Amino acid sequence: GILSSRLMGLVREVTIAGLFGVGGHADVLAAAFRGPNLLQNLLGEQTLSASFIPVYSRLLESGRDEDAGRFAGAVFGLLLAASAALAALGVLFSGPVVALLAPGFLADAAKVAAGDAAIDRYPLAVTAVRFLFPMSALLVLSAWTLGVLNSHRRFFLPYFAPVLWNGAILAALFAAVAAWGGGGGPAGRDRLLLAACAGALAGGLLQFAVQVPTAAKLLTGFRLSLSTRVAGVRESLRAFAPLVAARGVVQLSGYLDLLLASLLATGAVGALRWAQTLYYLPIALFAMSVAAAELPELARRSGADEEAVRRRAAAALRRIAFLVLPTIVGYLAFGYLLVGALFRRGSFGVADNWLVYLVLCGYSLGLFATTWSRLLQNVYYARSQTRIPARIAVLRVAISATAGFLLMRWLDRFAVAEAAGPFAGGSDLRLGAVGLALGAALGAWLELALLKRALGRDARPLALPGAAPAGMLGLALLAALPAAGLAWALAGVPVLPRGLAVVVGYALVYLGLARAFRLREAATWRDLLGR
């Protein structure tokens, strides 16, 4: 399900990149989605899953289906009230929200008047935000249905549902292009951008609605309420509060990145967006998918069979590493070709390609730490111990923000052309966004180290696998050699077929080596996909 939704999301981003490139409209789109995403991230999937699924799963495991249904009804009522109120405030105060998130946009009016800028990003972002806050409220409710379905071991539908959200955005864009053309000039791109936002709102409704019938069939004794006296609600709220605080700090880091990027040269915000599209892909496919499937099982066994918890967690970490490590090597070695194959068309040029690739390299250095941390957090969430990972998340954010700010200021003195040479042309794009990505990577490694240290002090320690990931990394480096030869041999081929050929060839060689060396994880993934 995640694979389907992420591939559809990739199609969405490729389409948007072709229409807007790395420029003012891409900046607006990134900023506009960031504000409403605060609501989704504070109350949505990750926070709700970590507080709701362990309690709900344990009620089901003990045969208390009626109590589980009443608990789900109370949580839904509280979420509905909170998300509706926050969405209404977001629409009402959309102007101050954009000014807070992207203060650099406020100077655009003077630049447009002086002839130094083509568009005023501020009013366009304000209008876009008014579509997207209600969308985020619907996605919060969709996270509740995901929690119910996952607890009943129904995974495909809730993770496939975002395909409808992405599809609605694409449909709106295609309809707008058919009606108004390809967005020539600032006014044409304004219309396309607002069409994408309207499609996102419609998609949020579709994503929630498609899950409701299946969730309703699984619930026993469901009763909508706002009561905190229902069994399990107070326990869930006690776990929820530290998670919201931690997610709030994480979101603060993301908003600080946006704020800082908005003060950099035009295009920095858009470059972060396109690089994050590829960065989050393996996190979702290879880490979130494993962590989401493991959370209900870890919760059912927590406290009753801790040895089983340790075995499942260690096996899950190896499964994640098996696919994440070759992804990191592939991004660093062939990321330029991959970015070009996906995005280089229309307004997205060679200099854009180089900047997004370099930002992706910065993020990739922390990818392994980020993915393992997701699973280690779920070990604590399964035990309803949310304070430790929350405190560690605060420290990670502080280090990421500090390091990112310092590196951003240093790297923004250099143009993309100074890093890429004559290949980047005469672009005005600069490297400040790379510093923000490197700061995020440093923070990710700090988080993994602190989570590992905390687990080592726990009364029920979890030993992290070390030898297996080292072997996987060696195979990935070995597989990169023939792929590099293929890239050299296809030097005269256009970037799309060349990039796809190199990436597919690299993946096939790695999987072939894993099978030849009889890695257990290769057989595990093969069996899972076979079923």
Side-chain angles (χ1 to χ4, degrees):
I2 290 176
L3 176 63
S4 301
S5 66
R6 289 292 167 167
L7 289 177
M8 194 67 161
L10 194 58
V11 173
R12 179 200 74 217
E13 291 300 290
V14 167
T15 303
I16 291 173
L19 291 172
F20 300 119
V22 177
H25 286 85
D27 291 351
V28 169
L29 203 60
F33 272 90
R34 178 70 73 177
N37 275 356
L38 175 63
L39 173 59
Q40 182 185 350
N41 285 315
L42 287 182
L43 304 180
E45 178 183 331
Q46 294 182 38
T47 305
L48 185 62
S49 294
S51 58
F52 176 85
I53 290 177
V55 177
Y56 187 78
S57 295
R58 285 196 288 269
L59 288 172
L60 293 176
E61 186 71 8
S62 60
R64 299 167 61 187
D65 291 3
E66 291 280 343
D67 287 341
R70 284 191 289 271
F71 166 68
V75 170
F76 182 80
L78 294 169
L79 276 176
L80 179 62
S83 59
L86 290 172
L89 289 173
V91 172
L92 186 62
F93 296 104
S94 55
V97 166
V98 173
L100 182 64
L101 293 176
F105 290 6
L106 296 174
D108 283 6
K111 292 179 180 178
V112 170
D116 295 330
I119 65 165
D120 186 349
R121 295 174 291 179
Y122 176 73
L124 188 58
V126 169
T127 304
V129 161
R130 290 173 181 156
F131 285 96
L132 298 177
F133 263 109
M135 173 210 72
S136 288
L138 290 166
L139 294 180
V140 168
L141 300 181
S142 178
W144 174 84
T145 59
L146 179 147
V148 172
L149 294 170
N150 280 9
S151 298
H152 288 274
R153 299 187 174 102
R154 305 292 181 91
F155 295 103
F156 178 76
L157 177 61
Y159 288 107
F160 180 82
V163 168
L164 299 179
W165 181 75
N166 288 306
I169 296 174
L170 287 168
L173 282 171
F174 293 150
V177 169
W180 300 312
R189 291 184 182 180
D190 289 354
R191 290 193 293 267
L192 293 182
L193 188 144
L194 295 179
C197 294
L201 175 58
L205 179 60
L206 288 172
Q207 181 174 330
F208 171 60
V210 74
Q211 300 177 68
V212 170
T214 304
K217 292 177 183 177
L218 296 171
L219 289 166
T220 303
F222 176 84
R223 188 180 306 155
L224 184 65
S225 74
L226 296 172
S227 175
T228 60
R229 296 182 179 180
V230 174
V233 171
R234 291 183 178 177
E235 179 186 351
S236 181
L237 289 176
R238 283 194 296 271
F240 191 71
L243 288 166
V244 169
R247 293 297 298 169
V249 173
V250 171
Q251 289 306 301
L252 179 63
S253 174
Y255 296 126
L256 183 58
D257 283 353
L258 174 62
L259 184 152
L260 294 172
S262 75
L263 300 174
L264 296 171
T266 298
V269 178
L272 287 174
R273 175 188 175 90
W274 309 132
Q276 287 171 354
T277 298
L278 290 171
Y279 169 65
Y280 288 126
L281 188 62
I283 294 174
L285 292 178
F286 311 141
M288 288 177 61
S289 60
V290 174
E294 290 296 326
L295 180 56
E297 307 307 322
L298 293 173
R300 284 180 167 89
R301 292 163 174 78
S302 183
D305 189 354
E306 285 299 321
E307 181 58 32
V309 169
R310 289 191 287 272
R311 286 198 307 270
R312 289 193 71 99
L317 289 171
R318 290 194 299 270
R319 289 204 305 276
I320 291 171
F322 176 71
L323 294 176
V324 166
L325 286 169
T327 301
I328 295 169
V329 173
Y331 278 172
L332 294 174
F334 311 116
Y336 177 80
L337 287 175
L338 181 59
V339 170
L342 293 174
F343 298 122
R344 200 196 300 172
R345 58 186 55 82
S347 300
F348 198 100
V350 174
D352 304 337
N353 195 155
W354 275 106
L355 179 57
V356 173
Y357 165 61
L358 293 172
V359 174
L360 178 62
C361 287
Y363 279 126
S364 297
L365 295 177
L367 184 55
F368 180 79
T370 299
T371 53
W372 267 29
S373 293
R374 292 293 176 95
L375 194 283
L376 296 184
Q377 288 167 357
N378 275 11
V379 174
Y380 279 104
Y381 297 157
R383 300 170 179 172
S384 294
Q385 297 174 343
T386 56
R387 295 185 182 275
I388 292 175
R391 287 197 298 265
I392 292 173
V394 171
L395 290 173
R396 173 177 68 84
V397 166
I399 293 299
S400 296
T402 303
F405 174 71
L406 295 174
L407 290 167
M408 177 199 81
R409 291 192 63 186
W410 175 59
L411 287 172
D412 204 48
R413 296 183 298 174
F414 304 99
V416 171
E418 294 181 64
F423 302 106
S427 171
D428 294 330
L429 295 174
R430 307 191 76 79
L431 297 176
V434 179
L436 295 174
L438 290 171
L442 182 62
W445 281 105
L446 173 71
E447 181 178 39
L448 178 62
L450 292 177
L451 285 169
K452 180 178 182 295
R453 182 182 178 188
L455 285 169
R457 292 178 174 178
D458 194 82
R460 296 161 291 185
L462 169 67
L464 303 186
M472 296 168 190
L473 179 60
L475 291 182
L477 293 171
L478 190 60
L481 295 177
L486 179 62
W488 178 81
L490 298 177
V493 176
V495 66
L496 176 58
R498 182 186 179 204
L500 292 178
V502 170
V503 170
V504 171
Y506 168 65
L508 292 176
V509 171
Y510 173 76
L511 294 174
L513 289 172
R515 183 174 181 180
F517 281 85
R518 298 182 180 179
L519 289 190
R520 176 174 34 175
E521 287 68 35
T524 300
W525 279 107
R526 184 190 64 224
D527 293 343
L528 287 171
L529 294 173
R531 287 202 298 273

